[in-house]
């Protein structure tokens, strides 16, 4: 077991996020199918089990393979995935209140969410500061290496902003509720402005630097994360603001949910089309399964919850249909990624270390047109 976790990186937490968002997004769908809540509860329990398993496995990794763990922190391609740890904690915690409470009761769900939200927010804020610092000081990241993965530590506070309002009604009325709501709003601004600073680097790399390597092409979907999650967040602010903050600020949150959410969701759909085109091209060029395929899940799930929030605050049926269509795509992506991941774990392929590249080209013998052998 100790040897098996040597190459288990923080990117594996993406499987927890992708599983939890299926359950969370499914409960708010405008389509009420028989048994849907039970299925969502089962999926959420699976995400909880995955989280506990990965936390234990990663603890073994840090205990027995500290050299590899330090190498991950100093690698600009791996370190940003520490944002996934925060988002995994937050996603499972939020699912406890939206889905798990029907199975474990509201009191236990609130307690679990409070613990996971606190831990996830602390880790997310630490990652949002530490990872960019390491990239600048220790990792010496090159702009030509820019990928959507760089957004991960900056998006984590946005997940806190979107899921924190779920706890607001369970706090004492008055200052505690208002403090948490405005703290979530502050994290919304923190993440949004940081994302707006980083996104141009990613976009410039994609447009001017040529297509990403095949294995990294699915990470283009990560850009959907801050877009969908921020739309979800402003919708949640508007849901809980009345009675928590004084007028006219409570009405202002309702206005923000529409005036911010509608154009951002429009850009999300544009990026979805662009990313899909790149993925289709990569598949034609031989792209095979990698753990980056989990990028097809959580970011798309945030767009589902964002569309659901817009449906609530605009009353437009179009957003109901958008949320339903995106959810179908989410389930298909999750099933595909989960199946390939399970196969890779059973076979040991995904847990194996990277194959070393040959130091020099192997000598070959070829026959020239003159008939001589070289």
């Amino acid at each position: 077991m100790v040897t098996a976790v040597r190459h288990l990186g923080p990117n594996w937490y993406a499987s927890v996020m992708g599983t939890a968002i299926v359950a969370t997004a499914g409960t708010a769908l405008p389509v009420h199918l028989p048994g849907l809540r039970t299925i969502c509860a089962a999926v959420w329990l699976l995400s909880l089990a995955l989280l506990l398993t990965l936390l234990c496995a990663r603890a073994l990794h840090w205990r027995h393979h500290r050299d590899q763990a330090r190498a991950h922190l100093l690698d600009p391609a791996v370190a940003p995935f520490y944002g996934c740890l925060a988002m995994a904690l937050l996603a499972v915690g939020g699912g406890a209140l939206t889905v798990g409470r029907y199975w474990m009761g509201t009191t236990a769900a609130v307690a679990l969410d409070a613990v996971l939200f606190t831990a996830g927010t602390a880790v997310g804020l630490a990652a949002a500061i530490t990872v960019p610092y390491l990239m600048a000081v220790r990792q010496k990241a090159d702009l030509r290496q820019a990928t959507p993965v760089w957004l991960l530590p900056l998006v984590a506070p946005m997940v806190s902003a979107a899921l924190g309002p779920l706890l607001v009604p369970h706090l004492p009325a008055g200052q505690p509720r208002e403090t948490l709501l405005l703290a979530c709003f502050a994290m919304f601004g923190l993440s949004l402005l940081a994302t707006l600073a980083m996104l141009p680097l990613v976009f410039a790399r994609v447009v001017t630097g040529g297509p990403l390597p095949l294995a990294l092409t699915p990470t283009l979907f990560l850009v959907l994360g801050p877009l969908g999650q921020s739309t979800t967040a402003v919708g949640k602010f508007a849901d809980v603001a009345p009675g928590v903050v004084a007028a006219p600020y409570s009405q202002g949150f309702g206005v923000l949910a529409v005036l911010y959410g509608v154009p951002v969701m429009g850009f999300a759909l544009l990026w979805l089309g662009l990313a899909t085109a790149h993925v289709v091209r990569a598949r034609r060029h031989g792209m095979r399964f990698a753990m980056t395929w989990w990028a097809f899940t959580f970011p798309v799930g945030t767009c589902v919850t964002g569309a659901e929030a817009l449906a609530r605050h605009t009353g437009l049926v179009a957003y109901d249909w958008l949320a339903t269509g995106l959810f179908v795509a989410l389930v298909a992506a999750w099933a595909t990624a989960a199946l390939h991941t399970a196969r890779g774990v059973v076979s040991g392929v995904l847990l194996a270390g990277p194959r070393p590249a040959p130091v020099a080209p192997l000598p070959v013998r070829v026959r020239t047109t003159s008939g001589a052998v070289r």
Side-chain angles (χ1 to χ4, degrees):
M1 176 63 180
V2 172
T3 304
V5 302
R6 175 166 177 77
H7 300 286
L8 189 74
N11 59 312
W12 280 75
Y13 286 112
S15 62
V16 179
M17 299 157 50
T19 302
I21 198 68
V22 172
T24 302
T27 56
L29 282 177
V31 179
H32 300 286
L33 300 176
L36 180 60
R37 181 178 294 178
T38 302
I39 295 173
C40 289
V43 173
W44 175 78
L45 285 172
L46 176 61
S47 72
L48 177 60
L50 288 173
L51 176 63
L52 295 175
T53 301
L54 279 173
L55 286 174
C56 293
R58 288 285 297 165
L60 288 174
H61 175 86
W62 270 95
R63 179 178 176 84
H64 297 283
H65 304 288
R66 193 158 298 178
D67 61 323
Q68 186 75 359
R70 288 180 59 85
H72 285 166
L73 275 175
L74 298 179
D75 187 344
V78 180
F81 283 102
Y82 273 92
C84 290
L85 167 59
M87 291 186 279
L89 294 167
L90 292 164
V92 175
L97 272 182
T98 57
V99 186
R101 63 189 178 96
Y102 298 110
W103 170 75
M104 62 192 307
T106 301
T107 302
V110 170
L112 178 59
D113 187 25
V115 171
L116 294 180
F117 175 79
T118 302
T121 299
V123 172
L125 292 174
I129 297 172
T130 303
V131 173
Y133 174 79
L134 289 176
M135 291 174 68
V137 175
R138 298 293 300 276
Q139 299 168 357
K140 305 298 182 183
D142 192 317
L143 287 178
R144 292 171 296 182
Q145 300 173 318
T147 70
V149 171
W150 288 10
L151 294 170
L152 288 172
L154 307 178
V155 178
M158 186 66 77
V159 181
S160 293
L163 296 176
L166 295 174
L167 287 168
V168 169
H170 301 283
L171 292 176
Q175 293 250 341
R177 292 185 181 182
E178 185 174 1
T179 299
L180 178 57
L181 178 58
L182 293 185
C184 291
F185 194 33
M187 287 187 286
F188 166 85
L190 178 160
S191 180
L192 178 63
L193 295 177
T195 298
L196 290 177
M198 185 70 75
L199 188 55
L201 303 180
V202 176
F203 190 63
R205 162 64 183 84
V206 172
V207 173
T208 64
L212 294 176
L214 296 182
L216 287 177
T217 302
T219 63
L220 288 171
F221 276 72
L222 294 177
V223 176
L224 297 175
L227 304 175
Q229 198 68 276
S230 61
T231 303
T232 303
V234 292
K236 293 292 186 182
F237 298 157
D239 291 340
V240 301
V244 175
V245 295
Y249 304 112
S250 58
Q251 292 88 345
F253 278 117
V255 174
L256 180 66
V258 176
L259 295 187
Y260 173 89
V262 171
V264 170
M265 184 58 65
F267 179 67
L269 295 177
L270 169 67
W271 192 273
L272 177 62
L274 176 64
T276 301
H278 275 266
V279 169
V280 170
R281 175 195 171 276
R283 285 291 286 173
R284 290 176 176 173
H285 284 74
M287 182 185 75
R288 296 185 177 182
F289 175 76
M291 288 299 289
T292 52
W293 281 34
W294 282 100
F296 296 139
T297 57
F298 188 80
V300 174
T302 66
C303 291
V304 176
T305 56
E308 291 168 347
L310 287 174
R312 290 195 308 272
H313 292 284
T314 64
L316 293 178
V317 177
Y319 285 115
D320 288 334
W321 284 105
L322 177 61
T324 303
L326 289 174
F327 183 75
V328 172
L330 168 64
V331 171
W334 176 83
T336 302
L339 177 61
H340 282 83
T341 301
R343 287 177 177 175
V345 171
V346 172
S347 67
V349 173
L350 290 178
L351 296 175
R355 296 180 180 178
V359 178
L362 297 177
V364 295
R365 293 169 63 85
V366 298
R367 186 174 297 275
T368 65
T369 55
S370 63
V373 176
R374 296 180 180 180

